[in-house]
Amino acid sequence: MNRHIAIYPGSFDPFTNGHMDIARRGLEIFDTVVIAVSNNSEKNSLFSVAERVDMLMTLTEDNPRLRVETFDGLLVDYVVAKKARVILRGLRAVTDFEFEFQLAQMNHTVCEQVETLFMMTSPKFAYLSSSIVKEVGRLGGDISKFVPHLVKEELLKKFGIN
Ligand code: ADP
């Protein structure tokens, strides 16, 4: 069992500065943080999984301790297959709590050795979500402060804005 690795799962559609903040703070505690892009297709996504992974590969290339992977199916199965035991998640507001609480309980019940660790958002990212960024971007608002430059470029391309 690898105690030095944390799995940071999510949709990351797209990856925001809030996500990066959690991943980088995770690296202060763990040797390796695996950003695990969920391949479950139930959510209507703007970027394909391949597009999200491509962006993430570029965004993390300066840091070998940040890895990027995808997973299908049950998160706990993936975590166990990685011989990891920690799932890293971010919490923004009380509204995140209910869902995250349920998910963490479920995952722990399915697999007892897997623990979910939560990191509170940095206040400056408390309001930030992929959905908000997509909405503001689609309407032509300035999203420079919310996402890495590469993500901004790709979002504008998707919306046919330049
Ligand atoms: P999911 O579809 O699994 O919720 P997201 O890509 O929306 O995936 O989020 C992945 C993780 O990052 C979740 O734990 C979420 O709470 C966290 N997160 C998202 N935005 C922020 C933010 N601005 N600050 C802190 N954590 C965040």
Side-chain angles (χ1 to χ4, degrees):
M1 196 63 72
N2 187 337
R3 294 173 199 276
H4 307 286
I5 185 171
I7 308 290
Y8 180 34
S11 315
F12 307 116
D13 183 42
F15 200 72
T16 68
N17 292 342
H19 291 134
M20 189 58 100
D21 179 59
I22 296 289
R24 291 207 184 277
R25 284 165 57 204
L27 283 183
E28 302 288 328
I29 300 165
F30 297 96
D31 293 336
T32 303
V33 170
V34 181
I35 300 169
V37 182
S38 162
N39 212 350
N40 296 335
S41 55
E42 66 203 57
K43 275 196 180 178
N44 277 337
S45 57
L46 178 65
F47 291 98
S48 68
V49 170
E51 288 172 325
R52 282 177 256 163
V53 167
D54 275 355
M55 283 190 271
L56 275 162
M57 289 289 192
T58 307
L59 293 171
T60 56
E61 68 190 357
D62 63 327
N63 197 333
R65 295 201 292 127
L66 269 182
R67 298 219 304 260
V68 180
E69 294 189 359
T70 62
F71 70 97
D72 302 285
L74 268 190
L75 174 60
V76 278
D77 289 344
Y78 166 71
V79 173
V80 169
K82 299 293 299 174
K83 298 196 166 35
R85 59 177 310 177
V86 173
I87 297 171
L88 181 64
R89 296 283 286 176
L91 275 183
R92 280 158 298 187
V94 187
T95 42
D96 277 346
F97 181 81
E98 182 83 35
F99 174 69
E100 294 292 343
F101 180 73
Q102 225 178 2
L103 200 67
Q105 294 286 337
M106 176 57 81
N107 286 334
H108 190 67
T109 307
V110 173
C111 187
E112 256 184 13
Q113 78 250 38
V114 170
E115 294 286 354
T116 305
L117 295 190
F118 293 99
M119 222 172 241
M120 290 296 165
T121 181
S122 299
K124 61 180 171 179
F125 299 127
Y127 57 87
L128 190 53
S129 69
S130 299
S131 333
I132 288 273
V133 167
K134 282 184 277 192
E135 192 62 21
V136 173
R138 183 177 283 122
L139 298 173
D142 183 8
I143 50 172
S144 318
K145 290 200 180 109
F146 310 141
V147 290
H149 186 71
L150 168 71
V151 174
K152 177 186 164 184
E153 302 278 289
E154 294 302 318
L155 269 169
L156 295 185
K157 264 192 235 164
K158 279 271 180 215
F159 298 138
I161 304 171
N162 39 37

